[in-house]
Amino acid sequence: MASGEEKRNDKVERVLEEAVARETAVHGRRWAAQYGGYFNDPTVAAPFLDVIEDGLRAKAPDVLVDLGGGTGFVLAELMRRRKLPPGVRLYDMDLSDRQLESLPDPRIRPLKSSFLEFQRAAVAAGTERLMLITRSTLHYAGLAGQKPLLRHLRGQLRPGELFIHQTACNARPEDALLVDELLERLHSDKWLPPLDSLVRLCEEAGFRVARVADAPDLAMDEATLADRYGIAPGEMADIRARLGEAYADSPRWKAAREGFVVLLGYKILVCEAA
């Protein structure tokens, strides 16, 4: 009989798989154009890459894994910037075949896996040092999935090893409410925490949050949201009306000529396994 923890992990696994499956229409070649190219823009990615390179210099891992790395953009940019430790092995882990089929360089090894299925032994052996990174993925686990996901990732690291993630969150709770209501109305189980909650969750999972850095906002426009989440025009008009009334004074809500834009905040957290 499955334990309570196994049942919780199975539920989180289903949430992750369903979220990824829902978005496969924009995977592969279309991914680079999402939200104006945010996730394939070297300038936008630069703060995250800078923090990763600081971690690489400090820890000199033998293996670097990008969890939910999609089309391999982050790892490819690290290669292009030529600051990787000599001989480090690169893995792009993703659940989507279409994303992994788009990897830009043969030196980036594909690893088909979900977060909760990922095991250190799949990429690192013996005394090899491991570093994990991820950008804009933790929210896929939903509210109930954050604790088991973070605990699992901590379990794959040895003390002193790093997990560096750029995660959608907002410093002000009222901004988090706007984004979470938007996601709920898009029929998504994703959850974006306030920053202080994210830090606490990481610490409770067994990480020491050594650094919090800023990352550029993501402008989520109505047209892209409708396409990505499969929302019909009438329903999107209702969403626009509801959020426009409830959050008219929010600096994160912008009325636009073609619908609306919600500004999603990001922070980069350097988490060291305690």
Side-chain angles (χ1 to χ4, degrees):
M1 181 178 295
S3 67
E5 183 173 359
E6 288 172 334
K7 290 180 180 178
R8 285 191 294 273
N9 286 354
D10 287 344
K11 183 176 181 180
V12 175
E13 191 73 37
R14 288 194 298 273
V15 168
L16 290 167
E17 291 176 354
E18 290 170 1
V20 172
R22 189 179 179 192
E23 299 181 15
T24 53
V26 297
H27 287 176
R29 293 181 179 180
R30 290 188 62 193
W31 185 252
Q34 289 290 291
Y35 301 120
Y38 180 98
F39 293 109
N40 271 61
D41 186 326
T43 301
V44 170
F48 186 47
L49 298 169
D50 290 343
V51 173
I52 293 170
E53 288 170 349
D54 288 344
L56 292 170
R57 282 191 294 271
K59 300 295 185 178
D62 300 294
V63 182
L64 177 64
V65 182
D66 189 359
L67 304 167
T71 59
F73 171 78
V74 168
L75 294 177
E77 279 299 296
L78 289 170
M79 293 169 61
R80 185 185 65 80
R81 288 164 52 127
R82 299 178 182 274
K83 295 181 181 179
L84 289 167
V88 64
R89 297 198 305 280
L90 306 176
Y91 286 87
D92 185 288
M93 187 210 83
D94 207 279
L95 195 56
S96 168
D97 290 321
R98 294 185 65 183
Q99 298 290 65
L100 294 175
E101 289 166 359
S102 303
L103 296 183
D105 194 293
R107 289 171 290 180
I108 302 174
R109 307 180 187 200
L111 177 64
K112 185 175 182 180
S113 174
S114 73
F115 280 82
L116 289 173
E117 291 173 333
F118 171 74
Q119 297 291 328
R120 176 191 189 94
V123 296
T127 60
E128 287 185 321
R129 299 177 300 273
L130 175 62
M131 181 184 292
L132 302 178
I133 61 173
T134 194
R135 181 169 68 146
S136 195
T137 60
L138 298 186
H139 56 281
Y140 278 84
L143 174 58
Q146 296 301 310
K147 289 183 178 181
L149 177 58
L150 289 167
R151 282 198 302 266
H152 176 74
L153 295 180
R154 170 60 188 89
Q156 307 314 307
L157 294 173
R158 292 172 180 161
E161 293 179 332
L162 296 183
F163 170 43
I164 301 176
H165 57 100
Q166 178 178 322
T167 295
C169 62
N170 290 288
R172 301 194 321 157
E174 55 266 43
D175 295 334
L177 287 174
L178 163 59
V179 178
D180 284 328
E181 181 172 349
L182 171 61
L183 289 170
E184 181 180 357
R185 291 179 179 275
L186 294 171
H187 310 292
S188 172
D189 289 323
K190 295 176 182 176
W191 177 69
L192 278 55
L195 176 59
D196 58 351
S197 297
L198 179 60
V199 170
R200 176 177 54 79
L201 287 166
C202 291
E203 291 175 342
E204 289 178 352
F207 290 105
R208 181 180 70 87
V209 179
R211 179 182 176 188
V212 177
D214 292 328
D217 288 344
L218 168 62
M220 300 191 297
D221 62 280
E222 179 177 323
T224 302
L225 290 169
D227 180 44
R228 184 167 182 171
Y229 292 94
I231 305 299
E235 186 174 6
M236 188 57 83
D238 290 341
I239 294 173
R240 185 191 320 126
R242 158 61 190 164
L243 297 186
E245 178 181 359
Y247 300 99
D249 297 329
S250 171
R252 295 280 163 180
W253 169 268
K254 305 290 183 184
R257 178 177 299 176
E258 298 182 0
F260 63 85
V261 173
V262 171
L263 297 178
L264 178 60
Y266 277 100
K267 294 293 183 182
I268 302 165
L269 276 67
V270 179
C271 298
E272 184 177 55

